[in-house]
Amino acid sequence: MVARVQPRQLALALPHAESLSRDDFLEGPANSEALTLIDHWPDWPNRVMLLIGPEGSGKSHLSSIWAEQAGARAITAHALNSAAVPGALATGALVVEDLCPPAIDERALFHLLNLAREDQAYVLITSRLAPSAFQIELRDLRSRLRAVPVVTLQPPDDQLFRALIVKFCADRQMSVDESLVSFLANRIDRSFAAARQVVERLDTEALRLGRPVTRALAAELLRDI
């Protein structure tokens, strides 16, 4: 008699919308300076500001909040070219996301900064790198970027880290209890990216196995990582 093989359930990679409203932004010491910058617009120390932080630290969330307030358009740094500059600044406010030299059009960015100054437009640039780490060939652009005021998102403290785990679970409509949150918080790297990644993997595994999201499932998952 041939044994029947139980088919393995596949977890569908469905998109999960992450709420980017002001009310859903999690505040803490790690992001207080950046949040103050956003909340105090247009009273900025400079019309061009640079917001830096690691992957998943809240740069996109903060820039989305500001874009809503300022009526700003948004463009990724690698998509910026000279032809796009005038239109990008049409509303007088712009988010330039994920500045990561050298994968940019340096002359287009320099043109953008010059035009923003002429038009007195506001520009919020986000990056994972500090200006000192930028590999910029165009000397004038290098000098201009290093003069831009920088606001840095710091690593999360314990309270914010736990809150992030809860939020990422809520974004995926996952019901979790304090024991699971504490288990994850004490066993993964204390970073925004690690929190998002482990919640994503936990959700995927729970769907694949048809099991609830529990501390036991998390223990099995982390044992296999």
Side-chain angles (χ1 to χ4, degrees):
M1 181 176 180
V2 178
R4 297 182 63 184
V5 178
Q6 185 72 20
R8 180 177 179 180
Q9 181 177 348
L10 298 178
L12 299 178
L14 299 175
H16 294 272
E18 185 174 336
S19 176
L20 298 178
S21 71
R22 175 64 177 82
D23 290 341
D24 288 318
F25 186 81
L26 299 176
E27 303 179 35
N31 55 40
S32 61
E33 184 182 3
L35 189 58
T36 297
L37 175 75
I38 300 304
D39 284 344
H40 283 74
W41 178 82
D43 296 324
W44 283 3
N46 195 59
R47 286 182 176 267
V48 179
M49 297 295 298
L50 180 59
L51 180 63
I52 66 173
E55 177 187 358
S57 57
K59 298 186 299 297
S60 293
H61 197 156
L62 286 165
S63 63
S64 178
I65 295 170
W66 178 72
E68 180 70 20
Q69 292 176 330
R73 295 186 175 184
I75 189 170
T76 58
H78 74 269
L80 185 66
N81 56 55
S82 295
V85 169
L89 289 172
T91 67
L94 177 68
V95 176
V96 179
E97 297 181 298
D98 199 20
L99 181 61
C100 186
I104 59 170
D105 184 332
E106 294 187 8
R107 294 192 178 280
L109 182 56
F110 186 59
H111 177 36
L112 174 76
L113 296 178
N114 284 337
L115 188 59
R117 182 168 59 182
E118 292 173 10
D119 292 350
Q120 295 188 320
Y122 289 89
V123 180
L124 179 63
I125 304 172
T126 69
S127 178
R128 300 180 190 182
L129 304 174
S132 59
F134 290 165
Q135 299 177 27
I136 300 290
E137 296 295 328
L138 194 62
R139 185 178 62 183
D140 289 341
L141 175 60
R142 184 167 62 246
S143 175
R144 184 70 59 81
L145 285 174
R146 290 183 178 179
V148 172
V150 174
V151 174
T152 303
L153 289 158
Q154 304 295 337
D157 60 13
D158 184 69
Q159 182 176 355
L160 178 58
F161 190 55
R162 290 169 181 266
L164 283 168
I165 294 173
V166 173
K167 181 184 185 302
F168 293 150
C169 288
D171 287 339
R172 291 175 168 270
Q173 299 183 335
M174 294 164 56
S175 178
V176 295
D177 58 26
E178 180 58 33
S179 66
L180 173 58
V181 174
S182 294
F183 180 82
L184 293 175
N186 291 327
R187 285 167 176 80
I188 63 176
D189 291 340
R190 188 165 295 244
S191 71
F192 301 91
R196 178 179 278 110
Q197 182 182 53
V198 77
V199 168
E200 178 182 350
R201 294 191 63 175
L202 189 58
D203 186 27
T204 299
E205 194 70 0
L207 289 172
R208 184 181 71 82
L209 298 173
R211 291 173 55 182
V213 179
T214 62
R215 183 184 181 282
L217 181 61
E220 293 174 22
L221 178 66
L222 294 181
R223 184 178 62 229
D224 295 336
I225 294 179

Short mmCIF file of all heavy atoms in Angstrom, two decimals, residues 162 165-166 175-187 202 213-219 222:
data_model
loop_
_atom_site.label_atom_id
_atom_site.label_comp_id
_atom_site.label_asym_id
_atom_site.label_seq_id
_atom_site.Cartn_x
_atom_site.Cartn_y
_atom_site.Cartn_z
N ARG A 162 9.96 46.98 21.37
CA ARG A 162 8.79 46.14 21.61
C ARG A 162 7.56 46.69 20.90
O ARG A 162 6.76 45.93 20.33
CB ARG A 162 8.54 46.03 23.11
CG ARG A 162 9.58 45.20 23.86
CD ARG A 162 9.43 45.35 25.37
NE ARG A 162 10.43 44.58 26.07
CZ ARG A 162 10.26 43.34 26.52
NH1 ARG A 162 9.09 42.74 26.36
NH2 ARG A 162 11.23 42.70 27.14
N ILE A 165 7.64 45.76 17.22
CA ILE A 165 7.23 44.38 16.97
C ILE A 165 5.71 44.29 16.96
O ILE A 165 5.11 43.66 16.07
CB ILE A 165 7.83 43.44 18.03
CG1 ILE A 165 9.35 43.39 17.89
CG2 ILE A 165 7.24 42.03 17.89
CD1 ILE A 165 10.05 42.61 18.99
N VAL A 166 5.07 44.93 17.94
CA VAL A 166 3.61 44.92 18.01
C VAL A 166 3.01 45.58 16.77
O VAL A 166 2.04 45.08 16.18
CB VAL A 166 3.12 45.62 19.28
CG1 VAL A 166 1.59 45.77 19.27
CG2 VAL A 166 3.56 44.85 20.52
N SER A 175 -2.45 38.66 15.74
CA SER A 175 -2.74 38.86 17.15
C SER A 175 -1.63 38.23 17.98
O SER A 175 -1.35 37.03 17.85
CB SER A 175 -4.09 38.21 17.50
OG SER A 175 -4.36 38.35 18.87
N VAL A 176 -0.96 39.04 18.81
CA VAL A 176 0.17 38.54 19.59
C VAL A 176 -0.02 38.94 21.06
O VAL A 176 -0.72 39.90 21.38
CB VAL A 176 1.51 39.10 19.07
CG1 VAL A 176 1.80 38.60 17.68
CG2 VAL A 176 1.50 40.63 19.08
N ASP A 177 0.62 38.16 21.94
CA ASP A 177 0.55 38.49 23.36
C ASP A 177 1.92 38.93 23.86
O ASP A 177 2.93 38.88 23.14
CB ASP A 177 0.02 37.31 24.18
CG ASP A 177 0.88 36.05 24.02
OD1 ASP A 177 2.09 36.18 23.70
OD2 ASP A 177 0.36 34.94 24.22
N GLU A 178 1.96 39.37 25.12
CA GLU A 178 3.18 39.93 25.68
C GLU A 178 4.31 38.91 25.74
O GLU A 178 5.48 39.26 25.58
CB GLU A 178 2.89 40.47 27.09
CG GLU A 178 4.09 41.10 27.79
CD GLU A 178 4.71 42.26 27.01
OE1 GLU A 178 3.94 42.97 26.33
OE2 GLU A 178 5.93 42.42 27.08
N SER A 179 3.99 37.64 25.98
CA SER A 179 5.04 36.62 26.07
C SER A 179 5.77 36.46 24.74
O SER A 179 6.99 36.29 24.70
CB SER A 179 4.45 35.28 26.51
OG SER A 179 3.57 34.75 25.52
N LEU A 180 5.03 36.54 23.64
CA LEU A 180 5.66 36.43 22.32
C LEU A 180 6.51 37.66 22.04
O LEU A 180 7.64 37.54 21.54
CB LEU A 180 4.59 36.27 21.24
CG LEU A 180 5.08 36.32 19.79
CD1 LEU A 180 6.12 35.24 19.54
CD2 LEU A 180 3.92 36.19 18.83
N VAL A 181 5.98 38.83 22.34
CA VAL A 181 6.73 40.07 22.11
C VAL A 181 8.04 40.06 22.90
O VAL A 181 9.10 40.39 22.38
CB VAL A 181 5.88 41.29 22.47
CG1 VAL A 181 6.71 42.57 22.36
CG2 VAL A 181 4.66 41.39 21.56
N SER A 182 7.98 39.66 24.18
CA SER A 182 9.17 39.62 25.02
C SER A 182 10.17 38.59 24.49
O SER A 182 11.38 38.83 24.48
CB SER A 182 8.79 39.27 26.46
OG SER A 182 8.02 40.31 27.03
N PHE A 183 9.66 37.45 24.05
CA PHE A 183 10.53 36.40 23.51
C PHE A 183 11.30 36.92 22.31
O PHE A 183 12.52 36.75 22.22
CB PHE A 183 9.69 35.18 23.14
CG PHE A 183 10.50 34.05 22.56
CD1 PHE A 183 11.19 33.17 23.40
CD2 PHE A 183 10.59 33.87 21.19
CE1 PHE A 183 11.94 32.14 22.88
CE2 PHE A 183 11.35 32.83 20.66
CZ PHE A 183 12.02 31.96 21.50
N LEU A 184 10.61 37.56 21.37
CA LEU A 184 11.27 38.08 20.18
C LEU A 184 12.24 39.20 20.52
O LEU A 184 13.37 39.25 20.01
CB LEU A 184 10.22 38.58 19.19
CG LEU A 184 9.30 37.52 18.56
CD1 LEU A 184 8.24 38.20 17.69
CD2 LEU A 184 10.10 36.53 17.74
N ALA A 185 11.80 40.11 21.39
CA ALA A 185 12.63 41.27 21.72
C ALA A 185 13.95 40.88 22.37
O ALA A 185 14.97 41.57 22.21
CB ALA A 185 11.86 42.20 22.65
N ASN A 186 13.96 39.76 23.08
CA ASN A 186 15.16 39.32 23.78
C ASN A 186 16.05 38.42 22.94
O ASN A 186 17.15 38.05 23.39
CB ASN A 186 14.78 38.58 25.07
CG ASN A 186 14.19 39.51 26.11
OD1 ASN A 186 14.57 40.67 26.20
ND2 ASN A 186 13.23 39.02 26.87
N ARG A 187 15.62 38.07 21.72
CA ARG A 187 16.38 37.09 20.96
C ARG A 187 16.77 37.51 19.55
O ARG A 187 17.47 36.77 18.86
CB ARG A 187 15.59 35.77 20.90
CG ARG A 187 15.65 35.01 22.22
CD ARG A 187 14.62 33.90 22.27
NE ARG A 187 14.77 33.14 23.52
CZ ARG A 187 14.29 33.53 24.69
NH1 ARG A 187 13.66 34.70 24.77
NH2 ARG A 187 14.46 32.79 25.77
N LEU A 202 7.62 35.03 10.61
CA LEU A 202 6.69 34.37 11.52
C LEU A 202 5.30 34.29 10.88
O LEU A 202 4.62 33.25 10.97
CB LEU A 202 6.63 35.14 12.83
CG LEU A 202 5.88 34.52 14.01
CD1 LEU A 202 6.45 33.16 14.36
CD2 LEU A 202 5.94 35.45 15.22
N VAL A 213 -0.05 32.17 15.55
CA VAL A 213 1.23 32.83 15.85
C VAL A 213 1.43 32.80 17.37
O VAL A 213 0.74 33.51 18.11
CB VAL A 213 1.23 34.28 15.33
CG1 VAL A 213 2.55 34.97 15.67
CG2 VAL A 213 1.00 34.30 13.83
N THR A 214 2.36 31.97 17.81
CA THR A 214 2.59 31.79 19.24
C THR A 214 4.08 31.85 19.56
O THR A 214 4.93 31.83 18.66
CB THR A 214 2.05 30.43 19.71
OG1 THR A 214 2.77 29.38 19.00
CG2 THR A 214 0.56 30.30 19.43
N ARG A 215 4.37 31.88 20.85
CA ARG A 215 5.76 31.84 21.30
C ARG A 215 6.42 30.54 20.87
O ARG A 215 7.60 30.53 20.50
CB ARG A 215 5.80 31.99 22.82
CG ARG A 215 7.20 32.03 23.42
CD ARG A 215 7.13 32.08 24.93
NE ARG A 215 8.43 32.15 25.55
CZ ARG A 215 9.25 31.12 25.72
NH1 ARG A 215 8.88 29.91 25.28
NH2 ARG A 215 10.42 31.28 26.30
N ALA A 216 5.68 29.45 20.91
CA ALA A 216 6.24 28.15 20.51
C ALA A 216 6.66 28.17 19.04
O ALA A 216 7.73 27.65 18.67
CB ALA A 216 5.23 27.05 20.77
N LEU A 217 5.82 28.74 18.20
CA LEU A 217 6.15 28.83 16.77
C LEU A 217 7.38 29.72 16.58
O LEU A 217 8.26 29.40 15.76
CB LEU A 217 4.97 29.37 15.98
CG LEU A 217 5.17 29.50 14.47
CD1 LEU A 217 5.47 28.14 13.85
CD2 LEU A 217 3.94 30.13 13.82
N ALA A 218 7.45 30.82 17.33
CA ALA A 218 8.60 31.71 17.22
C ALA A 218 9.88 30.99 17.65
O ALA A 218 10.94 31.17 17.03
CB ALA A 218 8.39 32.95 18.07
N ALA A 219 9.80 30.18 18.69
CA ALA A 219 10.96 29.42 19.15
C ALA A 219 11.45 28.46 18.09
O ALA A 219 12.66 28.31 17.86
CB ALA A 219 10.62 28.67 20.44
N LEU A 222 13.13 30.62 15.24
CA LEU A 222 14.45 31.17 15.58
C LEU A 222 15.48 30.06 15.75
O LEU A 222 16.68 30.29 15.53
CB LEU A 222 14.35 32.01 16.86
CG LEU A 222 13.52 33.29 16.74
CD1 LEU A 222 13.51 34.04 18.06
CD2 LEU A 222 14.05 34.19 15.63
#
